Amino acid sequence: MASRKEDPILGSNDIDENSEEKEVKDKVREEGGARDMILPAGNSIHRSGSRPQLDLSGAAIQGNNFEERDPTILLPNQSDDISHLALDIGEGLDGCDCSSHFTVADNLSPDGSLIKLVYFSRHEDRSSDDKRKRSIKERLGVTNVNRRSYPILGGRLHFVKFETSKISECLDFIYSKQLHRGGMDSRLWLSEAPPSDNAIIKATGGGAYKFADLFKERLGVSIEKEDEMDCLVAGANFLLKAIRHEAFTHMEGQKEFVQIDHNDLFPYLLVNIGSGVSIIKVDGDGKFQRVSGTNVGGGTYWGLGRLLTKCKSFDELLELSQRGDNRTIDMLVGDIYGGMDYSKIGLSASTIASSFGKTVSENKELEDYRPEDISLSLLRMISYNIGQISYLNALRFGLKRIFFGGFFIRGHAYTMDTISFAVQFWSKGEAQAMFLRHEGFLGALGAFMSYEKHGLDDLMVHQLVERFPMGAPYIGGRIHGPPLGNLNEKISWMEKFVQKGTEIIAPVPMSPSGTTGLGGFEVPSSRGDTLRSDASALNVGVLHLVPTLEVFPLLADPKMYEPNTIDLSDHSELEYWFTVLSEHLPDLVDKAVASEGGTDDAKRRGDAFARAFSAHLARLMEEPAAYGKLGLANLLELREECLREFHFVDAYRSIKQRENEASLAVLPDLLMEIDSMNEETRLLTLIEGVLAANIFDWGSRACVDLYHKGTIIEIYRMSRKKMQRPWRVDDFDIFKERMLGSKDRKPHPHKRALLFVDNSGADVILGMLPLARELLRRGTEVVLVANSLPALNDVTAMELPDIVAEAAKHCDILRGAAEAGGLLVDAVGSKDSLSSVPLMVVENGCGSPCIDLRQVSSELAAAAKDADLIILEGMGRALHTNFNARFKCDALKLAMVKNHRLAEKLIKGNIYDCVCRYEPAPAPAPAP
């Protein structure tokens, strides 16, 4: 079977070519050469009027692979490939984008600006036919056929841009990935299909005409132009509805992400600042009008700046503004009123009264003024006026939301600050200027969506996951040079450009002289009080489209839900957790390398992982908002994704197996001890057991140190002895009353309990399984919820059925429930199974020590519909995330705190303190 490879530039997983495919590719190269050959256009790209319809007959979700999270929907009878390519070829400073399933945007200007691409890649998953999983899905009513006709199921959207002056690199990039023919994962282009006159790429922007012949000559495809304004609005609508933290404000250098309810998005004002400015009132999908604009825009700034400063590029002019002092050129209110405020009308002494006003009264020539001061004065003059005109239009239509985008913004901190200040000043704080993380790709996305059945319209915010593989486009999506071909090339690139140790070079894309041009990292060009012109820009990751993800239905208020408990906007908090992760890194690398047999290849990959993750941390220290809103859960998931990127599937595999075996050996004696107790003592012992067993956490430095002081059974017994009540957070008595009732009242048992399990070994086997057994004994269905992918020593949904099967050998209750729940599919049905309530296992949809309940698997969402009890166990799921989450049903949160700082901050306690937090279901609202 073909092995997987990771595309190092954009993180798309393709299938390694087999010998037949390689032979065809070699033949293609021999006949014409990779760079200049005119490729025959296959049937993978069609004109929009004749897009291939999907044949959904026989469609099914392919079972989950051990290594991958995103399921693939197979269309076995689909004969036509789906286009993966679209363009945005803008001319001037217009900032237009194009798209389809691949989009290139080209913003042409005298400074040689950018070509932008948005393209789609499939994600082919390989997994075995799992009878147990099918059984669980049937019981929960999860269907295999998705309810929508998605051409993009299990796929990824990539955002890339090139400098216009390097359009050959852009074309080479398209060719190397075969984007114009359906992508490297397409088999159609290998079949020597005859040329097709219908091979097209969607495009928008003025450059769509200029470069049409070049695309036809080099790639054998035609460009079909889409309306720029249509594309711009369609792209903005998609981003604002589909990406949770797409919009942000920017005041005094501080970003704050704004979560927008997609049901309350319209109307809004979209201000696109290119050469000039267009102001668009957007009332809905496809409903908009250009209501105003101005000819004073980015072209004005660049044109005047070029004349007055002799700068050679737009970026150089922006860089100059960072070091400028506009007080030497602008006339301020204080200059008129003797250094005083004009408080009567609310003007401070530092307010600009007249841009360039001081130059009138001074006997100086142009060369007497610093270019830096001129650039800053120009930037303020134009930005303030754009902000004022935009607000006046928002006031005219009664709008509060104003989104700014276009080539002029470019993620430049001071530009965003000046626009924001103007809007705040003129609106007296009633309106906000907002910006978009993907603002440069609006047109490209819009062109992408101009294809029929592109599949993006129906996607919801919870079905999109943005990831940041090392080597993915960094600032604003810019990359340099051709894509790296395989993991080995990526590691070589890492070894060359990313230094390991205390002095990490921040990941900023570059193509330095004397290098191969494959890209790398450079030291920021500005330090101290100045800011590199792109340092504030946000990174653009790879957008994974996962239609099987759903919002957890038992959240009390999904709109108000915030998974992260720790606020990393506090810089000291951010530094602390970065230090914790950095200190844990060597041990993690050792475990990862050992899990792969300690080979030289594993050591090299381990070193590359360390460099990559350290570079991620360095980038986030430089700009905490670089990857979007940052929480501790995001950091921990980033680490796990980085491990998988370098093909470390399960770093703690052997440790988990060893601890599982040791714990299963003592389970029968523990169950016998528990069964000898009365009901009340038994319940307390079970909760104590969960808390005691939660000490086994390889993600905690304090717990790792304990492993050197005894066996896991010795540590478990020591932990049990220290379970003295009251715990730091102790709601056990309330929980006990709900479970056991009082003398006069016996409560009804819960119908179904969802148990979110944490670590392998003693934690799940000696802690959560006995608790699950008690619930089963009381007639409650139990669903064990575990990770879809490995993370640290957390147990996975794939591992749990075997653990349960082993435990069931020594317990009739577990055996009957496991048979009833389909976990023992090969077992002969017994009387116990016929009378037992079921024990089931579902995956949670993630591969992190934490969990964001806004994005869970369809299995878990289905299981939750009949659940009336949730038990969240462990620091990651009950403390780092979801500590403040509220649910529609009873919820019990159990964890031992294994970090000093978390204990102090969260519960004002000490390390190894315990949390038993019980929250009954909210009372139903009274009938009207």
Side-chain angles (χ1 to χ4, degrees):
M1 183 174 288
S3 61
R4 299 198 65 79
K5 70 176 181 181
E6 180 79 359
D7 176 346
I9 290 291
L10 295 151
S12 62
N13 289 322
D14 298 322
I15 303 298
D16 280 346
E17 57 194 280
N18 58 35
S19 57
E20 181 181 351
E21 294 169 349
K22 187 175 186 300
E23 182 179 341
V24 175
K25 290 183 183 178
D26 289 342
K27 181 180 179 182
V28 168
R29 295 188 182 103
E30 289 169 5
E31 290 177 353
R35 176 175 292 272
D36 297 315
M37 177 182 175
I38 302 175
L39 293 173
N43 294 325
S44 59
I45 301 176
H46 300 260
R47 294 193 180 278
S48 59
S50 59
R51 295 289 298 149
Q53 300 297 306
L54 292 179
D55 184 350
L56 297 179
S57 60
I61 297 178
Q62 189 174 1
N64 240 17
N65 179 276
F66 184 68
E67 303 180 16
E68 295 295 333
R69 166 181 172 181
D70 308 342
T72 298
I73 289 192
L74 301 178
L75 303 177
N77 300 317
Q78 173 66 24
S79 57
D80 289 299
D81 212 345
I82 303 300
S83 168
H84 284 58
L85 172 62
L87 305 171
D88 176 351
I89 312 180
E91 191 165 9
L93 284 167
D94 295 330
C96 301
D97 306 28
C98 344
S99 148
S100 145
H101 284 79
F102 159 80
T103 300
V104 176
D106 176 13
N107 295 6
L108 301 178
S109 67
D111 68 335
S113 54
L114 305 172
I115 302 170
K116 300 171 187 175
L117 301 81
V118 173
Y119 76 90
F120 168 76
S121 68
R122 289 180 184 80
H123 168 51
E124 296 188 10
D125 197 3
R126 298 172 291 110
S127 64
S128 58
D129 184 15
D130 191 330
K131 293 181 181 178
R132 288 182 295 208
K133 192 168 183 178
R134 284 209 317 273
S135 174
I136 295 294
K137 284 188 172 186
E138 289 171 5
R139 175 176 290 276
L140 296 175
V142 180
T143 59
N144 280 340
V145 179
N146 195 278
R147 62 184 179 277
R148 300 186 185 95
S149 300
Y150 282 113
I152 52 176
L153 288 177
R156 297 162 179 166
L157 282 178
H158 307 261
F159 303 85
V160 188
K161 60 188 177 187
F162 293 87
E163 294 179 11
T164 302
S165 60
K166 299 177 180 178
I167 190 170
S168 290
E169 286 189 7
C170 174
L171 293 168
D172 290 344
F173 180 88
I174 295 170
Y175 171 73
S176 69
K177 285 187 166 290
Q178 290 294 302
L179 299 177
H180 56 308
R181 303 186 54 101
M184 290 297 290
D185 51 353
S186 170
R187 299 297 176 262
L188 187 60
W189 75 277
L190 292 170
S191 63
E192 299 186 14
S196 170
D197 293 334
N198 288 333
I200 64 103
I201 296 173
K202 290 283 190 175
T204 188
Y209 294 113
K210 180 172 183 176
F211 290 106
D213 290 344
L214 183 60
F215 274 84
K216 186 70 174 177
E217 176 188 344
R218 291 283 301 276
L219 300 175
V221 295
S222 300
I223 285 178
E224 185 173 289
K225 192 176 185 302
E226 296 295 324
D227 181 77
E228 295 176 46
M229 206 72 76
D230 287 344
C231 292
L232 185 74
V233 173
N237 285 347
F238 168 72
L239 290 169
L240 289 169
K241 288 190 292 185
I243 300 182
R244 182 169 286 107
H245 295 123
E246 176 64 24
F248 63 94
T249 60
H250 199 290
M251 287 291 291
E252 298 180 354
Q254 298 299 312
K255 296 182 182 70
E256 184 174 335
F257 287 93
V258 180
Q259 186 165 331
I260 296 172
D261 181 0
H262 72 273
N263 294 314
D264 188 34
L265 173 60
F266 306 111
Y268 68 85
L269 209 63
L270 179 62
V271 182
N272 190 48
I273 313 172
S275 300
V277 180
S278 286
I279 299 177
I280 307 163
K281 178 175 178 281
V282 182
D283 294 300
D285 291 323
K287 300 176 183 178
F288 64 89
Q289 58 178 322
R290 186 182 187 275
V291 294
S292 186
T294 172
N295 58 356
V296 179
T300 312
Y301 175 61
W302 169 228
L304 286 175
R306 190 178 188 195
L307 289 173
L308 296 174
T309 68
K310 309 304 180 186
C311 280
K312 302 300 182 184
S313 75
F314 190 86
D315 284 326
E316 182 186 354
L317 187 63
L318 281 176
E319 182 73 28
L320 280 180
S321 72
Q322 299 291 340
R323 304 189 294 273
D325 183 354
N326 69 302
R327 294 173 299 178
T328 65
I329 292 178
D330 294 339
M331 182 180 291
L332 310 182
V333 168
D335 296 325
I336 301 173
Y337 295 100
M340 304 293 289
D341 296 341
Y342 193 171
S343 55
K344 184 176 181 179
I345 58 174
L347 297 178
S348 69
S350 61
T351 300
I352 298 174
S354 174
S355 293
F356 287 82
K358 261 185 193 171
T359 63
V360 175
S361 58
E362 295 179 335
N363 189 22
K364 292 182 179 180
E365 299 298 325
L366 177 61
E367 54 269 18
D368 296 325
Y369 293 96
R370 294 196 320 142
E372 293 89 341
D373 302 339
I374 294 172
S375 178
L376 180 57
S377 182
L378 268 176
L379 182 64
R380 283 192 164 185
M381 178 181 74
I382 292 166
S383 297
Y384 283 155
N385 276 273
I386 292 172
Q388 181 182 11
I389 293 169
S390 301
Y391 167 66
L392 291 175
N393 276 281
L395 183 65
R396 172 186 169 197
F397 294 104
L399 306 177
K400 297 294 185 183
R401 292 199 186 105
I402 312 173
F403 297 100
F404 291 85
F407 184 85
F408 181 65
I409 303 292
R410 306 189 73 167
H412 187 250
Y414 201 79
T415 304
M416 292 187 285
D417 265 356
T418 52
I419 291 173
S420 297
F421 177 82
V423 172
Q424 184 187 52
F425 178 84
W426 291 108
S427 71
K428 294 181 171 58
E430 292 186 4
Q432 281 185 314
M434 287 185 277
F435 307 90
L436 305 178
R437 291 183 58 230
H438 294 81
E439 60 87 15
F441 294 92
L442 302 187
L445 272 169
F448 185 100
M449 297 175 73
S450 69
Y451 280 97
E452 292 183 10
K453 297 187 76 64
H454 53 76
L456 291 182
D457 282 339
D458 294 325
L459 282 170
M460 304 294 288
V461 63
H462 56 270
Q463 296 168 325
L464 294 163
V465 181
E466 189 171 19
R467 295 188 179 129
F468 298 86
M470 182 55 59
Y474 271 86
I475 312 297
R478 183 177 300 199
I479 66 170
H480 296 265
L484 305 180
N486 53 40
L487 181 62
N488 185 59
E489 286 184 25
K490 176 189 283 192
I491 294 174
S492 297
W493 175 71
M494 298 287 303
E495 291 168 342
K496 185 170 185 178
F497 291 111
V498 186
Q499 296 180 7
K500 180 181 160 188
T502 55
E503 296 185 6
I504 297 296
I505 296 178
V508 178
M510 69 177 221
S511 184
S513 57
T515 72
T516 62
L518 292 178
F521 302 128
E522 65 180 344
V523 176
S525 58
S526 302
R527 294 190 179 276
D529 295 331
T530 60
L531 180 68
R532 188 178 68 253
S533 63
D534 67 352
S536 180
L538 304 182
N539 291 38
V540 176
V542 178
L543 201 59
H544 293 234
L545 293 80
V546 192
T548 53
L549 291 180
E550 298 187 28
V551 177
F552 189 58
L554 292 178
L555 286 173
D557 187 351
K559 292 180 182 178
M560 298 299 296
Y561 171 76
E562 167 55 50
N564 287 289
T565 306
I566 305 299
D567 183 9
L568 294 186
S569 62
D570 180 342
H571 192 72
S572 64
E573 201 71 35
L574 187 67
E575 278 192 326
Y576 171 78
W577 288 104
F578 275 24
T579 301
V580 169
L581 291 172
S582 296
E583 290 177 348
H584 182 241
L585 195 53
D587 183 68
L588 180 57
V589 171
D590 288 345
K591 296 290 188 299
V593 172
S595 73
E596 299 285 331
T599 63
D600 290 341
D601 172 68
K603 291 175 183 176
R604 189 166 178 245
R605 285 187 285 120
D607 183 68
F609 157 71
R611 293 171 188 267
F613 187 60
S614 296
H616 279 303
L617 294 181
R619 170 62 178 143
L620 289 169
M621 280 299 293
E622 177 192 49
E623 174 51 82
Y627 298 171
K629 187 175 181 181
L630 183 63
L632 186 56
N634 308 102
L635 279 178
L636 296 176
E637 182 154 14
L638 179 64
R639 179 183 62 187
E640 299 304 322
E641 289 293 342
C642 198
L643 273 170
R644 287 188 276 272
E645 182 181 356
F646 290 93
H647 294 191
F648 291 108
V649 177
D650 190 354
Y652 288 81
R653 181 191 297 119
S654 59
I655 292 173
K656 291 193 294 183
Q657 290 173 348
R658 186 167 62 247
E659 294 185 355
N660 286 340
E661 291 171 2
S663 300
L664 285 166
V666 300
L667 178 63
D669 290 340
L670 176 63
L671 296 180
M672 189 179 300
E673 177 188 346
I674 289 171
D675 288 344
S676 68
M677 300 173 182
N678 62 44
E679 192 175 49
E680 186 172 330
T681 304
R682 188 167 70 235
L683 185 62
L684 176 59
T685 300
L686 289 166
I687 299 300
E688 286 178 342
V690 171
L691 294 172
N694 192 233
I695 198 171
F696 297 98
D697 187 346
W698 281 91
S700 164
R701 170 58 57 188
C703 295
V704 171
D705 292 340
L706 284 177
Y707 281 90
H708 303 299
K709 300 177 181 178
T711 66
I712 62 170
I713 300 306
E714 291 169 341
I715 297 169
Y716 170 71
R717 287 172 178 158
M718 174 200 70
S719 182
R720 281 289 298 270
K721 289 178 182 178
K722 292 184 177 181
M723 286 291 110
Q724 299 297 319
R725 293 187 65 202
W727 301 310
R728 191 62 187 174
V729 177
D730 194 338
D731 293 335
F732 173 76
D733 291 335
I734 306 173
F735 177 65
K736 180 183 71 173
E737 184 174 351
R738 169 61 185 89
M739 292 292 290
L740 306 182
S742 58
K743 292 181 180 178
D744 302 326
R745 184 184 64 86
K746 284 293 182 183
H748 61 82
H750 290 96
K751 181 179 180 182
R752 176 182 290 172
L754 304 180
L755 275 60
F756 289 76
V757 297
D758 189 8
N759 306 300
S760 293
D763 194 3
V764 66
I765 295 170
L766 305 183
M768 291 297 277
L769 264 185
L771 179 59
R773 177 176 177 264
E774 180 67 18
L775 291 167
L776 292 165
R777 188 206 300 259
R778 293 175 175 277
T780 299
E781 293 184 5
V782 174
V783 180
L784 300 177
V785 184
N787 268 13
S788 299
L789 295 174
L792 293 173
N793 63 320
D794 291 0
V795 68
T796 68
M798 179 167 281
E799 296 162 345
L800 263 179
D802 290 335
I803 292 173
V804 171
E806 282 299 312
K809 292 178 180 179
H810 310 284
C811 174
D812 292 340
I813 296 174
L814 288 177
R815 182 171 60 253
E819 288 180 9
L823 294 181
L824 306 179
V825 292
D826 295 325
V828 178
S830 63
K831 293 181 180 179
D832 289 336
S833 68
L834 296 176
S835 60
S836 294
V837 290
L839 171 64
M840 296 171 278
V841 172
V842 300
E843 60 182 70
N844 58 19
C846 76
S848 166
C850 302
I851 186 168
D852 182 344
L853 293 173
R854 294 170 301 195
Q855 294 181 306
V856 302
S857 71
S858 55
E859 293 176 33
L860 175 52
K865 289 175 182 175
D866 291 324
D868 51 0
L869 173 64
I870 296 170
I871 299 180
L872 290 162
E873 183 239 356
M875 283 211 310
R877 294 162 189 82
L879 300 184
H880 290 319
T881 53
N882 301 306
F883 186 68
N884 299 317
R886 294 294 177 265
F887 300 95
K888 296 176 182 177
C889 65
D890 294 349
L892 181 65
K893 299 169 184 177
L894 300 170
M896 177 184 285
V897 189
K898 292 152 289 194
N899 176 277
H900 283 287
R901 189 182 184 95
L902 186 66
E904 293 170 0
K905 288 266 186 178
L906 196 59
I907 59 173
K908 295 181 172 57
N910 300 307
I911 192 168
Y912 302 129
D913 276 348
C914 291
V915 172
C916 176
R917 187 175 187 176
Y918 177 65
E919 296 154 351

